[in-house]
Amino acid sequence: MGAPTQAIRDLSGILPILVLWGVALVILLGAPLLRRGPGSRLAAPLGGAGALGALLVLLRGSSDGFGDTLFAGAALTDTLYSSGAFVLLLGGFLSVLVAQTYLRSRDLEKPEYYAIMLLSLSGALLMMQANDLIVLFLGLELMSFGLYVLAGFARTDAKSDEAALKYFLLGALASALMLYGIMLTYGVAASTELSNVQSAVARGALKEPMGIAAALLLVIGLCFKIAAVPFHQWSPDVYEGAPTSATAFLATTAKIGAIVAFLRVCDTIAGGYHTWLPAIRAIAILSMIVGNLIAIAQTNVKRMLAYSGVAHAGYLLVAVACMGFRLMGTKGTQASILAMTGAVFYLLAYALALIGAFGVLAYLSSRDKDAQTLNDLRGLASSQPAVGYAMVLFMLSLAGIPATAGFIGKWQVFYAVLTGGDVALAVTMALTSAMGVYYYLRVVWYIVFEESAAPKPSPTGHGVEARPRAMTGVGAAITICCIATIGLGILPAAISSFLTVVR
Amino acid sequence: MIGLPYYLVVGSILFGIGAFGTVTRRNAIAVLLSVELMLNAANLNFLAFWRFLTPAAMEPHLFVLIGLTVAAAEAAIGLAIVLNVYREYGTVNLDQIAELRG
């Protein structure tokens, strides 16, 4: 066997993306057959197979050649990418399971939904693999385009259209800001490749006005995507208006892709931390406080999860801030690596709990009723105990109660920022987490202690035929999320071989 | 001789007009146009940097092509979404498209 040629090495480095593209293409080309008749049962399994196939390819990928750059420096494979991709593709697979049931029960199912999901996932993967700001931009756009369309997938639902429009306009603005920032970076560093950017920063590029503007525009663009304060206004409307399965997907995909890219960018420009670290710290603190405060006032669960998502963006930005400590002595270096591993674990815990929670809402929805409010959850523990207690578990995990995955993720980020010696961030994180417990527990209260609102005479027609749904996609997704949330909460080490980031 | 700063100033003026438009215009299509203006400001500056900073490099040309492609795809998706909104609301005025509040 001769040495593999460069082209083969390049392509095998992006094999998960190629798998996603291939399956998406099959779905799009086969759409006429998959749209109606017997073929319509195949679209969701194909979508799931695409996400799962990419995940398997990723896990089987040999680890030699890790840290190498591909395509003449445009992309790379490293442990940050592979662990982030693991979380992303797992979330994508679970989102397909949720979508299968939800779209069918609401008469929205079209094969294109799954193709767009896979393309969006491939964009997020590209974003995490990017070793060049332009490639990062390309991945971000590929991901976002899919998410805009999915948000507006219920075309005859005014709310869904409005959500898509708001998401699109603010997203487009954010990407224009980012492209301008990348252009300024090129002006400062004469290159957009991360290693060249890093050496330009080491030469003091972040002391020039143009360099400062570039860094801030990049930070703003990424903060839009993760919905951090003050760039979060779109998220509650989009979360509420988008079809529930699309909300679950876009909430997790955008956050995973953007946070991993954020970690990488801030790691690259760590040398000029005095320029961007104060901004990130301020945004993180604001997001934690504002997100948790406004979430308390929400009665729509999807809206509440949007504001809680703002707060979670704040916690994740704490991990991003740790990248700035990398060059501040050994403690700082250690903190930055701990923060990367912690952030990826956090993203996994967040994705499991969030997809699970939206999965429960999807499970409770039917053709004529879209479950979104606290009232829809009233007395769930007595009427449908399994689903009710699953929702309780997801809320506890989002709140960060011990013995759930959410706690471990929060603890890891907290520990990293303490190692870095930033007490202010750590204290804010602890206090706001305690604040968040209130509104998560309110959901638990509604589920467990409130009486079921006058047992509605379930509409005999659709209601009954929609009942035996436990064995379909969403039931499986909720089960997987439950098991993983408890399992990782008790045995976080079980998955550390996939998720540990090394430098 | 017209140097690099002139191009950068034109670029930032374009960018500023676009940013101003996205904030002040209430017509969804006008906002979309403003965003395109901002993208093109970045493209213009890429070429200016190529001409004056790195005339031997070919990357800026590629970046502009990528930028144009992204802008075109963005316009296609944006107009499709605006069309759907128009069908449901009968308007593309952002102030009147406000079912989601809370």
Side-chain angles (χ1 to χ4, degrees), chain B:
Chain B
M1 168 70 187
I2 295 179
L4 179 61
Y6 292 86
Y7 290 93
L8 295 186
V9 167
V10 172
S12 50
I13 290 175
L14 268 182
F15 185 77
I17 295 174
F20 183 74
T22 52
V23 178
T24 55
R25 298 303 300 265
R26 303 320 301 162
N27 183 313
I29 295 176
V31 175
L32 181 57
L33 278 176
S34 305
V35 170
E36 300 288 318
L37 215 52
M38 293 167 78
L39 288 173
N40 279 322
N43 285 340
L44 180 70
N45 284 1
F46 264 132
L47 289 181
F49 281 137
W50 164 71
R51 172 74 177 73
F52 292 99
L53 286 185
T54 54
M58 279 294 120
E59 288 101 324
H61 294 253
L62 266 178
F63 297 165
V64 170
L65 285 179
I66 290 175
L68 288 176
T69 315
V70 165
E74 202 161 72
I77 288 177
L79 290 176
I81 290 174
V82 170
L83 202 62
N84 276 332
V85 167
Y86 184 76
R87 284 202 184 120
E88 291 302 316
Y89 286 85
T91 175
V92 291
N93 185 319
L94 294 177
D95 289 329
Q96 291 166 30
I97 304 170
E99 289 228 335
L100 299 164
R101 279 269 161 82

Side-chain angles (χ1 to χ4, degrees), chain A residues 124-147:
Chain A
L125 280 184
L126 190 62
M127 200 175 164
M128 299 197 278
Q129 263 191 299
N131 187 36
D132 189 304
L133 289 174
I134 282 287
V135 176
L136 195 156
F137 177 73
L138 204 58
L140 179 88
E141 292 300 286
L142 183 52
M143 175 185 84
S144 306
F145 289 169
L147 299 182

Side-chain angles (χ1 to χ4, degrees), chain A residues 232-438:
Chain A
H232 67 288
Q233 281 92 347
W234 57 269
S235 85
D237 288 350
V238 172
Y239 277 44
E240 185 188 342
T244 301
S245 61
T247 309
F249 181 66
L250 74 88
T252 48
T253 305
K255 212 154 251 162
I256 296 168
I259 283 288
V260 171
F262 218 149
L263 289 170
R264 199 186 292 290
V265 168
C266 285
D267 186 47
T268 305
I269 59 176
Y273 64 88
H274 24 57
T275 304
W276 57 267
L277 190 55
I280 297 264
R281 291 184 71 224
I283 295 173
I285 290 175
L286 271 179
S287 302
M288 289 189 276
I289 294 175
V290 173
N292 277 317
L293 271 184
I294 306 185
I296 291 175
Q298 305 303 319
T299 53
N300 182 313
V301 178
K302 281 168 92 177
R303 256 187 126 72
M304 186 208 88
L305 287 174
Y307 282 111
S308 103
V310 173
H312 283 283
Y315 303 139
L316 286 161
L317 279 181
V318 170
V320 174
C322 290
M323 297 301 109
F325 307 147
R326 178 159 69 86
L327 301 175
M328 302 181 192
T330 38
K331 277 276 184 199
T333 313
Q334 200 192 345
S336 76
I337 294 173
L338 282 174
M340 279 193 190
T341 308
V344 173
F345 193 95
Y346 195 115
L347 286 168
L348 176 62
Y350 181 67
L352 289 171
L354 201 68
I355 294 176
F358 283 122
V360 170
L361 293 182
Y363 181 87
L364 298 174
S365 300
S366 59
R367 193 178 309 245
D368 14 53
K369 177 169 152 284
D370 196 19
Q372 323 202 326
T373 61
L374 281 174
N375 274 329
D376 294 328
L377 296 175
R378 202 182 274 269
L380 199 59
S382 45
S383 58
Q384 300 192 50
V387 192
Y389 284 109
M391 188 69 166
V392 169
L393 176 67
F394 299 138
M395 288 301 125
L396 294 181
S397 181
L398 285 174
I401 305 289
T404 60
F407 171 74
I408 307 285
K410 212 165 260 178
W411 168 251
Q412 289 189 358
V413 173
F414 185 74
Y415 181 67
V417 72
L418 269 189
T419 310
D422 196 332
V423 180
L425 275 185
V427 168
T428 318
M429 193 176 168
L431 288 181
T432 51
S433 296
M435 216 155 81
V437 171
Y438 171 77

